[in-house]
Amino acid sequence: MSSRPIIAPSILASDFANLEREITMINNSEADWIHVDIMDGVFVPNISMGLPVVEAVNRHATKPLDVHLMIVQPERFVEAFRKAGAEVISVHVEACPHLHRNIQQIKALGCKAGVAINPHTSVFELENVIADLDLVCVMSVNPGFGGQKFIENTYAKVRQLKELIVETNSAARIEIDGGVNMQNAKLLLDAGADVLVAGNFVFSAPDPLDVIQQLKGISVTTV
Ligand code: DX5
Ligand code: ZN
């Protein structure tokens, strides 16, 4: 059997002064989701965009918004992001002392629930919540900035996570976020990844539509 990956371009790398044009490009592409990075300058050393921008993106987007919250106390904002158009919301395990409650809150809003893990965080931190999750976002760079170098240890983490998902009969998809390109995409998918986020690789390319098509076209053999 073979399957196709879910492709989620990250608009962090897009031209914010021409956001409507960038969203239209994604609408017209083979991408599946639009990845939206929210940074608070506290959990990560950078600030990106907030609710009014997400609302504006949602007015033009024809594809689901995959919102990645790199913020402390995400429970204060998940409802507002849901109202702004989020269909998938991921919170960071490192920012959530009450992660189980946070996941239930996201699901109660009718969103798909995701948890993101930093490069130093073991996948086994998720052992007790994996059955409840729709998505695990494995950070393959330290969160906060686009355009960073992919961390090679990610492959081993994806394999461990895939085993955990199979063992627990979880429906969670594995998303890879950071430094994704044509050199690592197939290896990640073969290791068990389902969703590829790509920022600079898509938006710095002369032909972003073609790059999205190339990523989408990677065929993964499953047993
Ligand atoms: C990093 C963000 C990523 C980023 C990926 O903190 O979570 O989503 O936009 O960008 P690239 O693909 O350029 O590494
Ligand atoms: Zn992200």
Side-chain angles (χ1 to χ4, degrees):
M1 235 169 68
S2 79
S3 63
R4 300 272 173 198
I6 291 173
I7 306 302
S10 166
I11 56 168
L12 185 65
S14 73
D15 178 357
F16 280 15
N18 287 292
L19 210 40
E20 182 180 352
R21 191 192 66 202
E22 302 285 50
I23 300 301
T24 302
M25 183 280 289
I26 300 176
N27 289 343
N28 293 332
S29 77
E30 289 185 33
D32 302 276
W33 297 350
I34 300 177
H35 188 82
V36 182
D37 287 309
I38 308 296
M39 303 177 186
D40 65 355
V42 178
F43 179 67
V44 288
N46 198 6
I47 293 175
S48 55
M49 64 193 102
L51 286 159
V53 178
V54 179
E55 281 163 16
V57 167
N58 192 49
R59 278 200 294 278
H60 297 288
T62 57
K63 308 203 173 184
L65 302 190
D66 168 34
V67 174
H68 176 193
L69 296 180
M70 287 164 272
I71 65 175
V72 297
Q73 300 181 334
E75 65 279 1
R76 294 168 61 205
F77 294 103
V78 287
E79 190 172 352
F81 280 105
R82 174 55 167 160
K83 286 193 180 134
E87 291 199 24
V88 185
I89 296 182
S90 297
V91 295
H92 265 266
V93 61
E94 302 85 3
C96 294
H98 301 288
L99 184 65
H100 183 274
R101 181 185 291 152
N102 300 134
I103 294 164
Q104 303 314 319
Q105 184 194 14
I106 295 169
K107 291 173 83 156
L109 291 166
C111 272
K112 287 195 165 58
V115 171
I117 58 172
N118 278 342
H120 76 278
T121 301
S122 163
V123 302
F124 299 109
E125 293 274 319
L126 302 180
E127 219 171 347
N128 295 305
V129 290
I130 192 77
D132 294 336
L133 292 180
D134 299 298
L135 187 79
V136 177
C137 175
V138 178
M139 292 307 301
S140 39
V141 298
N142 284 294
F145 303 93
Q148 300 180 80
K149 191 176 173 294
F150 177 82
I151 297 170
E152 297 285 322
N153 185 50
T154 308
Y155 301 116
K157 286 180 77 173
V158 173
R159 282 192 292 270
Q160 286 176 334
L161 179 57
K162 184 70 187 180
E163 261 180 48
L164 182 63
I165 286 171
V166 170
E167 271 170 25
T168 53
N169 237 334
S170 163
R173 286 175 166 137
I174 302 177
E175 176 176 68
I176 311 298
D177 190 7
V180 169
N181 58 35
M182 222 50 201
Q183 271 74 57
N184 51 35
K186 174 138 176 65
L187 293 170
L188 288 164
L189 295 169
D190 285 342
D194 307 286
V195 185
L196 301 176
V197 174
N200 275 267
F201 185 54
V202 167
F203 289 98
S204 306
D207 187 349
L209 284 172
D210 179 61
V211 169
I212 293 169
Q213 188 177 36
Q214 282 182 45
L215 289 168
K216 186 71 188 172
I218 301 173
S219 171
V220 193
T221 311
T222 50
V223 276

